[in-house]
Amino acid sequence: MRQDSRVDLPTSLGYLLKEASAALRTSMEAVLRPLGMTVTHYACLELLAQRPGLSNSELARGTFVTRQSMNVLLQALEEDGVVTRPAQPASGRALPTALTAHGRRQLEAASAAVRAVELQMISGLTLDEQDHLRALLSRCVSGLGTGTRPPTSA
């Protein structure tokens, strides 16, 4: 007997994850737009606050965009005084990026807005359920072997 190989959307975990991801992104965009930011812009600033000195490539990987897209964003952020990069790399080709005071102020407002979205998203979950969900999602990522955790600086 041949088994049906079609995906049943109402029970598909992958589809539900994609739906949750899209809903989260839409909500984040809604609170970031008035601040003049995109989700990628915010994610870049958050990574730089937690790991100063990341390169263009490391930021691209951490924000799930191409190196070219990240380079365009970094040039705009540098022109706006949000980040700084040296004119010449200290070694190799990477230009380590750092937040300016203006960038840290931008990030502070954006982080509060994004945190409110996340709190709304998990408002129906107990602390134990949140921990369990975190563990399950981490195992799903590991199961696919795509380890897309944000980079660490060396």
Side-chain angles (χ1 to χ4, degrees):
M1 179 178 236
R2 194 174 141 238
Q3 186 177 0
D4 191 356
S5 62
R6 290 180 302 155
V7 172
D8 180 39
L9 293 182
T11 62
S12 169
L13 292 175
Y15 187 79
L16 186 56
L17 279 170
K18 184 63 178 170
E19 191 175 25
S21 175
L24 176 61
R25 185 173 188 97
T26 298
S27 295
M28 288 172 63
E29 286 171 349
V31 299
L32 291 170
R33 192 174 302 112
L35 301 173
M37 287 188 186
T38 64
V39 172
T40 303
H41 177 150
Y42 160 73
C44 177
L45 298 188
E46 193 68 68
L47 278 172
L48 285 172
Q50 295 182 27
R51 295 175 188 88
L54 291 178
S55 69
N56 176 58
S57 293
E58 291 166 325
L59 288 166
R61 278 191 300 277
T63 59
F64 311 102
V65 299
T66 65
R67 289 190 316 265
Q68 294 84 355
S69 293
M70 181 53 63
N71 194 47
V72 169
L73 175 60
L74 287 175
Q75 287 175 0
L77 293 177
E78 195 170 17
E79 287 172 12
D80 292 343
V82 175
V83 301
T84 60
R85 295 190 291 175
Q88 298 292 321
S91 64
R93 294 178 14 190
L95 296 175
T97 307
L99 287 178
T100 63
H102 175 57
R104 285 188 290 280
R105 285 190 301 275
Q106 251 193 18
L107 176 59
E108 190 175 322
S111 291
V114 167
R115 183 66 182 145
V117 167
E118 186 172 308
L119 289 173
Q120 178 186 357
M121 179 182 69
I122 62 173
S123 64
L125 302 176
T126 66
L127 291 177
D128 284 344
E129 289 170 331
Q130 291 172 41
D131 288 342
H132 192 215
L133 179 58
R134 219 174 271 107
L136 290 173
L137 290 173
S138 291
R139 284 173 50 196
C140 287
V141 170
S142 294
L144 293 173
T146 59
T148 54
R149 291 274 180 199
T152 58
S153 57

